[in-house]
Amino acid sequence: MSRRFSFHYAWIVLIVTFFTLIVAAGVRSMPGILIVPLEKEFGWDRSAISFAVSINLLLYGLVGPFAAGLMNRFGIKRIMVFALGLLISGILLTTIMRTNWQLVVLWGVMVGFGSGMAALVLGATVVNRWFVSHRGLLMGILTASTATGQIIFLPFLASLTEQEGWRNAVYAVASILGILLPTVFFLMKDSPKQSGLLPYGAKSEEEGILPISGNPFIEAITALKVGLRSRNFWLLAGSFFVCGASTNGLVGTHLVPACSDHGIPEVRAAGLLALMGIFDLIGTVGSGWLSDRVNNKILLFMYYGLRGISLLLLPQAFDPESNKLSIFAVFYGLDWIATVPPTVALTAKIFGREKVGLMFGWVVAFHQIGAAVAAFGAGYIRTVQGEYDLAFMFAGALCVITALGIFAVSTEKEEAKLSETPEFAS
């Protein structure tokens, strides 16, 4: 029974996780829509608003490895419920804020923490705990939920913001979160063992993963110490730093206001991000399928190289009368988060499947550090120079360098190094 598709509870867990990631992605996508309305209402400059967004992105990443440890200690469901509650509180309170520091605390800190607990580390933990077969494909599907969130939320929120004001857009997202929270509470399970099952595709108990139940903070810090001693970790984390800088931090945060600078309406600009989301859904699921079959380093070389070329050409695409931005959205969307499945696969291969949540959590932390740097840096460049061109060109160059550097990653297994660390032994 544990291996029957139609009755295995792993598929229910996967669906609940997918929808949680979709809604969390919708919350994460909102800053790009809110920047211009907040500028107009409060008179804050773009670099000040971008600072709050950068704090959000930074905490989104830094909380990941600790969230993985907390999931191991207290269970996936409890952490998901806590994260959703934090998101609801944070975004609702933004409707009564009056000063920029309140934006930093609410959207930067509270929403950053909440979204970080319902992000890629959650997907990696669920896939590696509940499934033995099809992990690459399923990680691709969960990763693509970010794209799905953009497709569903961005045009709707942009239109609602334009017609009814940004506060009503916030209320709408909070209502959706309020529906999702009890769904998670009643349907989510922590592990196959809790349901008397083996992971989907497992043939014996030896193939199942027993969650680590030590101190989550010690586990997270120990994982970082192990990572900092590993050349492979630095290469993966460095590549993800560039990934975050060139996606969430730069394009995800600043494409809509950059379009506004060139006379392109906000709703149309949000539609471009949604178009990116459609093709990201295709590209990321395809990347997950490929990561089970193709050398993951070759995949990452292609993704970063093509992304770099796209960004280098982006400044010439801002023409309201042309379709160049639509072409950019299609091309860029195909590899927006396609880097995740091969990076998760390399992390699991190098550090071991039972530690992938913690180790990939720190890789994601570097992703979000890059996103935070780009979110604030691009806003600062726009404030000083009046345009984003330098930010796009610099990010493109970093992507090209990263594409070449990815071949330095070795797939030699380093699990033994983890086991030698007493606090980190399973």
Side-chain angles (χ1 to χ4, degrees):
M1 180 173 170
S2 65
R3 289 184 290 172
R4 289 171 60 187
F5 177 92
S6 57
F7 293 101
H8 201 295
Y9 206 82
W11 299 104
I12 302 296
V13 169
L14 188 78
I15 291 169
V16 172
T17 303
F18 181 75
F19 281 105
T20 300
L21 294 176
I22 284 178
V23 177
V27 176
R28 254 298 314 131
S29 67
M30 287 189 73
I33 293 171
L34 296 179
I35 286 177
V36 174
L38 292 177
E39 274 185 323
K40 292 178 179 177
E41 179 171 335
F42 296 104
W44 301 332
D45 64 44
R46 199 159 296 183
S47 61
I49 300 172
S50 297
F51 177 71
V53 177
S54 70
I55 295 297
N56 175 290
L57 291 167
L58 181 64
L59 292 177
Y60 175 90
L62 289 179
V63 76
F66 297 98
L70 289 168
M71 288 175 200
N72 289 338
R73 180 67 180 272
F74 299 108
I76 295 174
K77 182 172 79 172
R78 288 182 182 177
I79 300 307
M80 289 174 71
V81 168
F82 176 76
L84 293 173
L86 197 59
L87 287 174
I88 293 171
S89 302
I91 65 174
L92 281 178
L93 287 171
T94 59
T95 62
I96 59 173
M97 69 182 175
R98 292 292 180 268
T99 62
N100 185 254
W101 72 262
Q102 292 171 336
L103 177 67
V104 173
V105 171
L106 297 173
W107 201 271
V109 177
M110 290 183 67
V111 176
F113 268 112
S115 57
M117 292 181 185
L120 295 177
V121 172
L122 170 62
T125 301
V126 167
V127 167
N128 282 278
R129 186 176 294 183
W130 278 89
F131 294 88
V132 170
S133 59
H134 312 304
R135 287 196 205 105
L137 176 61
L138 296 175
M139 191 64 212
I141 291 172
L142 290 184
T143 303
S145 63
T146 300
T148 308
Q150 286 185 190
I151 297 167
I152 294 172
F153 283 96
L154 278 177
F156 165 68
L157 293 176
S159 178
L160 190 59
T161 299
E162 187 177 81
Q163 296 175 17
E164 305 291 339
W166 66 269
R167 287 181 177 82
N168 284 321
V170 168
Y171 290 138
V173 172
S175 299
I176 295 169
L177 285 165
I179 295 171
L180 178 63
L181 194 152
T183 304
V184 170
F185 182 82
F186 288 110
L187 294 181
M188 195 66 190
K189 301 280 188 183
D190 293 326
S191 67
K193 185 177 181 181
Q194 187 179 21
S195 300
L197 300 169
L198 297 177
Y200 181 80
K203 298 179 180 178
S204 65
E205 292 187 7
E206 287 72 23
E207 293 184 84
I209 294 180
L210 294 176
I212 307 167
S213 59
N215 186 303
F217 298 98
I218 293 177
E219 289 171 7
I221 296 301
T222 303
L224 178 61
K225 290 178 181 178
V226 170
L228 294 179
R229 296 198 300 266
S230 166
R231 178 170 169 268
N232 283 324
F233 176 84
W234 278 108
L235 289 167
L236 292 174
S239 70
F240 246 40
F241 176 95
V242 175
C243 182
S246 57
T247 53
N248 298 31
L250 180 59
V251 174
T253 302
H254 291 285
L255 182 63
V256 172
C259 288
S260 180
D261 289 345
H262 289 82
I264 299 171
E266 193 168 275
V267 173
R268 181 184 167 192
L272 289 171
L273 284 177
L275 181 63
M276 259 183 227
I278 293 172
F279 283 91
D280 179 36
L281 182 63
I282 298 169
T284 306
V285 173
S287 177
W289 184 82
L290 287 171
S291 70
D292 287 328
R293 295 163 174 80
V294 178
N295 186 318
N296 289 291
K297 292 193 287 185
I298 292 176
L299 292 177
L300 291 174
F301 168 76
M302 294 173 57
Y303 299 154
Y304 284 114
L306 293 173
R307 183 184 300 178
I309 294 170
S310 299
L311 284 171
L312 290 171
L313 296 175
L314 180 57
Q316 285 75 50
F318 289 101
D319 180 359
E321 303 302 322
S322 76
N323 62 350
K324 291 180 181 178
L325 271 179
S326 296
I327 296 172
F328 168 81
V330 171
F331 195 72
Y332 204 76
L334 284 171
D335 85 343
W336 176 273
I337 321 179
T339 55
V340 173
T343 303
V344 172
L346 286 173
T347 304
K349 184 177 293 185
I350 294 167
F351 295 105
R353 187 163 63 93
E354 69 277 11
K355 309 297 193 304
V356 70
L358 288 164
M359 299 308 297
F360 183 64
W362 282 114
V363 173
V364 171
F366 279 83
H367 182 282
Q368 295 310 120
I369 292 172
V373 170
F376 177 74
Y380 179 78
I381 289 172
R382 165 60 175 75
T383 300
V384 172
Q385 296 195 337
E387 61 183 17
Y388 286 102
D389 289 6
L390 181 61
F392 292 132
M393 299 288 285
F394 184 66
L398 282 178
C399 287
V400 172
I401 293 170
T402 301
L404 298 173
I406 205 70
F407 286 110
V409 175
S410 168
T411 54
E412 177 186 354
K413 195 169 186 179
E414 298 184 10
E415 187 176 0
K417 295 181 181 179
L418 304 182
S419 300
E420 291 169 4
T421 310
E423 303 95 325
F424 206 51
S426 58

